[in-house]
């Protein structure tokens, strides 16, 4: 993994994380650190820039995927130089990562913390899209599963008079054979339609999230939690099925809510 | 325009050629007649505002979460033994949750409970919204019923258990109307209005209200209810019009289901 930070006009810091824990840090091409020692938030790589300012590179464990690498110069978090050039959101002029204001229009540029928050919001929006896809897959899968069960149950009711009362009460209710047939036949379609409605809701929310992340992510989180609860009431076994994935999705959504709120309140 | 290697007069930072504003402090570098963009990093400290807004959102999450937990507990319990008194217990637990949340926040919410004279025009608007709502909601339920979708009914269960009509109205019509309005248009919408603009707060509370009813089949109808009742609360700054409409709608539902 390689990271580059343009700290200002005259200083560029590069960090290379190689195999077997190798860590090499260079400032303007000059090596300032080369070791395999563990790096963490509490034990950062410390070095000095040519102008005397203090630099510190720390690894922050991330919830999913690769850990985040932070460079702080005199305590201020630096914006990483990415593959794509940074542009001003207002006038689309290319800017340097270390610019705090756009050189063309004067509007404030996002800070390094803002970029981090935006990443979290993007992850949450991504989680919403993942949910949309999951609901479509679940809808189709459970449709066929439920249809098999429904066909088997309908076969048992074959030949019975529709107006006759079914002898065995279900969930405390007594039904006629006709009513039971209607409920059973509806079963698979109900499952499919419900999951498709949920997929559409998630898709709509992911589109709304592009314009206004916080409301969309809040509603998506509430909807998903409600779906889990409703499934849990219908079949308590579903509570433990795939719990790891469920926890991960909810964690991304909640992180997204906090990040979206932080971005909103920063723009005061 | 400053030459390469020139300094910003405000912060002394070296600036690149062709730059019109100092990338370090935002100071105008070109002689223009426009005002300076605020030279200091134009953000107020985000900590306090974030903390205040986060408190409001946490209040919303708590009320919603506790009501959802109550639905879950009673939902699981009624799988084991379907007894009508569980509906009473659930209504009681929900009432406690909402009344506590309301009490903790009552000073800020007292304005919703003031009785104010209402202008004829406003009354007409409220009646118009009510009429529109009843038409749309009835159309929705008629459609899904005629599409063959099986729908459960609390009224049916209570009637089978031999409950008197006034008790059924109380449990199915009156109590939910009061408690849900206090929760969603009272506590939740008001808290959301402190974080979002009125329109977003309105949409979010309607969405939360609809999903709390668990069944996706009723999401559209209950989203509509949330929108209508929320709009009435926004417009009248009072909890009563929405509560009245909600109670009347629930009563209509009971009346329709009672004959069986």
């Amino acid at each position: 993994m390689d990271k580059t930070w343009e700290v200002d006009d005259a200083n560029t810091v590069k960090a290379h994380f190689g195999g077997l824990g190798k860590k090499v840090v260079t400032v303007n091409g000059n090596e300032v650190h080369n070791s395999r020692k563990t790096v963490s938030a509490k034990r950062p790589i410390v070095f000095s820039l040519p102008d005397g300012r203090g630099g510190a590179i720390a690894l922050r464990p991330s919830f999913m995927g690769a850990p985040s690498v932070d460079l702080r110069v005199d305590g201020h978090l630096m914006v990483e130089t990415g593959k794509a050039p940074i542009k001003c959101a207002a006038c689309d002029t290319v800017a340097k990562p270390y610019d705090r204001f756009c050189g063309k229009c004067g509007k404030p540029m996002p800070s390094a913390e803002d970029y981090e928050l935006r990443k979290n919001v993007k992850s949450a929006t991504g989680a919403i899209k993942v949910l949309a896809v999951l609901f479509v897959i679940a809808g189709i899968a459970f449709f066929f599963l439920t249809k098999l069960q429904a066909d088997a149950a309908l076969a048992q009711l074959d030949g019975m008079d529709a107006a006759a009362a079914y002898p065995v009460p279900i969930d405390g209710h007594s039904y006629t054979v006709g009513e039971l047939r209607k409920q059973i036949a509806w079963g698979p379609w109900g499952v499919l339609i419900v999951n498709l409605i949920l997929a559409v809701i998630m898709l709509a929310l992911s589109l709304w999230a592009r314009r206004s992340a916080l409301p969309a992510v809040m509603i998506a989180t509430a909807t998903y939690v409600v779906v889990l609860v409703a499934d849990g009431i219908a079949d308590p076994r579903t509570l433990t099925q795939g719990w790891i994935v469920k926890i991960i999705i909810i964690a991304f959504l909640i992180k997204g809510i906090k990040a979206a709120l932080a971005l909103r309140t920063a723009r005061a | 325009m400053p030459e390469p290697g020139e300094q910003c007069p405000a912060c002394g930072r070296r600036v690149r050629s062709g730059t019109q504003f100092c990338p370090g402090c935002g100071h105008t570098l070109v002689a223009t007649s426009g005002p300076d963009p605020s030279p200091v990093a134009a953000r107020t400290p985000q900590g306090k505002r974030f903390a205040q807004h986060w408190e409001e959102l946490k209040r919303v999450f708590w009320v919603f979460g506790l009501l959802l937990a109550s639905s879950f507990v009673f939902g699981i319990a009624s799988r084991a033994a379907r007894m009508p008194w569980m509906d009473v217990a659930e209504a009681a637990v929900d009432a406690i949750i909402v009344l506590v949340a309301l009490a903790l926040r009552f000073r800020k919410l007292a304005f919703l409970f003031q009785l104010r004279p209402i202008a004829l025009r406003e009354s007409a608007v409220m009646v118009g919204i009510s009429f529109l709502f009843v038409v749309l909601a009835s159309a929705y339920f008629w459609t899904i019923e005629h599409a063959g979708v099986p729908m459960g009914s609390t009224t049916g269960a209570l009637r089978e258990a031999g409950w008197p009509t006034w008790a059924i109205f109380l449990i199915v019509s009156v109590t939910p109307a009061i408690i849900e309005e206090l929760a969603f248009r009272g506590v939740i919408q008001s808290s959301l209005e402190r974080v979002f603009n009125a329109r977003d707060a309105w949409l979010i509370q309607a969405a939360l209200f609809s999903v709390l009813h668990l069944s996706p089949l009723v999401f559209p109808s209950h989203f509509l209810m949330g929108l209508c009742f929320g709009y009435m609360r926004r417009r009248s700054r009072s909890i009563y019009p929405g509560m009245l409409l909600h109670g009347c709608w629930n009563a209509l539902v009971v009346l329709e289901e009672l004959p069986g």
Side-chain angles (χ1 to χ4, degrees):
Chain A
M1 183 167 60
D2 287 291
K3 299 268 175 184
T4 307
W5 296 268
E6 289 168 73
V7 174
D8 56 37
D9 276 349
N11 295 294
T12 300
V13 176
K14 286 191 182 178
H16 170 74
F17 295 86
L20 297 173
K22 182 171 175 169
K23 296 160 194 77
V24 182
V25 178
T26 58
V27 177
N28 302 331
N30 303 318
E31 198 177 275
V32 294
H33 178 91
N34 186 341
S35 91
R36 292 182 199 279
K37 279 206 193 122
T38 326
V39 172
S40 66
K42 286 195 188 128
R43 286 168 49 193
I45 298 171
V46 175
F47 55 93
S48 290
L49 292 173
D51 55 17
R53 285 181 292 168
I57 290 180
L59 246 62
R60 232 177 341 113
S62 157
F63 192 61
M64 285 277 289
S68 309
V69 185
D70 291 341
L71 166 67
R72 286 178 194 276
V73 171
D74 281 350
H76 301 295
L77 189 64
M78 294 288 113
V79 175
E80 198 189 323
T81 304
K83 291 185 195 71
I86 290 173
K87 287 187 182 174
C88 169
C91 67
D92 219 32
T93 312
V94 170
K96 288 288 182 187
Y98 46 82
D99 288 344
R100 291 168 67 211
F101 292 84
C102 173
K104 181 93 187 291
C105 69
K107 292 277 185 311
M109 296 290 291
S111 68
E113 285 86 355
D114 284 349
Y115 284 115
E116 191 61 36
L117 293 171
R118 283 184 190 184
K119 229 170 51 168
N120 288 342
V121 171
K122 250 189 121 184
S123 301
T125 315
I128 298 175
K129 288 180 193 149
V130 163
L131 284 176
V133 171
L134 285 179
F135 280 127
V136 171
I137 295 173
I140 297 172
F142 285 115
F143 172 77
F144 287 111
L145 201 68
T146 323
K147 191 125 196 328
L148 280 170
Q149 294 170 341
D151 288 342
L154 283 170
Q156 284 190 336
L157 294 175
D158 237 352
M160 292 173 87
D161 179 26
Y166 191 70
V168 181
I170 296 162
D171 277 344
H173 288 282
S174 37
Y175 297 95
T176 66
V177 169
E179 280 170 350
L180 212 52
R181 277 200 189 120
K182 207 167 110 172
Q183 289 239 14
I184 293 170
W186 164 255
W189 292 103
V191 165
L192 180 67
I193 289 172
V194 158
N195 277 287
L196 288 180
I197 290 176
L198 290 167
V200 165
I201 290 173
M202 289 298 166
L203 189 65
L205 289 172
S206 72
L207 292 172
W208 188 15
R210 281 192 215 166
R211 263 197 318 121
S212 193
L214 185 55
V217 179
M218 277 177 66
I219 295 172
T221 311
T223 307
Y224 184 53
V225 171
V226 159
V227 166
L228 295 178
V229 166
D231 285 345
I233 293 173
D235 183 2
R237 289 172 302 178
T238 58
L239 288 169
T240 48
Q241 288 167 358
W243 63 272
I244 296 178
V245 174
K246 289 171 182 170
I247 298 270
I248 289 173
I249 291 175
I250 291 174
F252 272 116
L253 290 171
I254 293 176
K255 258 176 66 166
I257 290 173
K258 282 192 105 162
L261 182 65
L263 280 169
R264 271 179 168 246
T265 47
R267 273 190 228 124
Chain B
M1 293 257 198
E3 296 300 317
E6 286 273 322
Q7 280 182 315
C8 165
C11 67
R13 180 190 164 121
R14 232 177 28 172
V15 294
R16 304 185 290 276
S17 75
T19 315
Q20 291 169 300
F21 295 87
C22 171
C25 66
H27 185 84
T28 316
L29 299 171
V30 181
T32 62
S33 51
D36 252 338
S38 37
V40 208
R43 295 193 200 101
T44 55
Q46 88 177 37
K48 191 172 169 199
R49 215 161 151 246
F50 174 82
Q52 283 169 344
H53 287 196
W54 186 238
E55 278 309 305
E56 298 293 343
L57 290 188
K58 277 201 299 192
R59 180 171 303 107
V60 171
F61 299 150
W62 268 107
V63 174
F64 182 83
L66 285 172
L67 291 174
L68 186 62
S70 149
S71 298
F72 178 69
V73 166
F74 285 100
I76 296 275
S78 60
R79 277 175 57 84
R82 182 96 183 85
M83 283 184 276
W85 69 259
M86 282 194 185
D87 294 316
V88 181
E90 189 177 351
V93 167
D94 290 348
I96 292 170
I97 293 167
V98 172
L99 291 172
V100 167
L102 186 66
L104 288 172
R105 197 78 180 146
F106 194 70
R107 249 179 350 127
K108 295 237 158 53
L109 298 178
F111 73 95
L112 288 171
F113 298 89
Q114 285 172 0
L115 285 165
R116 288 184 287 268
I118 180 169
L120 194 61
R121 187 164 171 267
E122 276 307 299
S123 311
V125 169
M126 296 293 160
V127 169
I129 295 171
S130 308
F131 185 72
L132 186 68
F133 164 71
V134 170
V135 165
L136 290 171
S138 305
Y140 178 78
F141 284 111
W142 186 90
T143 310
I144 58 175
E145 207 179 301
H146 280 78
V149 180
M151 289 211 57
S153 140
T154 317
T155 313
L158 296 176
R159 196 168 37 82
E160 272 177 32
W163 281 45
T165 310
W166 66 264
I168 296 179
F169 269 105
L170 194 65
I171 288 295
V172 184
S173 299
V174 177
T175 313
I178 296 176
I179 297 303
E180 286 172 3
E181 289 310 304
L182 290 177
F184 285 89
R185 266 56 70 182
V187 180
I188 290 179
Q189 190 167 354
S190 303
S191 280
L192 290 173
E193 280 181 345
R194 287 170 181 275
V195 179
F196 301 97
N197 59 48
R199 193 200 69 142
D200 284 351
W202 172 57
L203 291 172
I204 297 171
Q205 70 74 25
L208 293 177
F209 176 71
S210 81
V211 298
L212 189 68
H213 289 78
L214 296 179
S215 164
L217 272 174
V218 302
F219 281 0
S221 57
H222 285 63
F223 185 61
L224 178 70
M225 286 167 80
L227 289 179
C228 286
F229 305 153
Y231 182 71
M232 291 167 98
R233 174 234 180 259
R234 255 175 85 182
R235 200 176 164 112
S236 65
R237 309 276 297 149
S238 169
I239 199 88
Y240 300 119
M243 206 181 265
L244 199 59
L245 176 58
H246 195 161
C248 290
W249 169 254
N250 288 356
L252 266 173
V253 170
V254 170
L255 278 172
E256 204 259 336
E257 287 178 356
L258 263 181

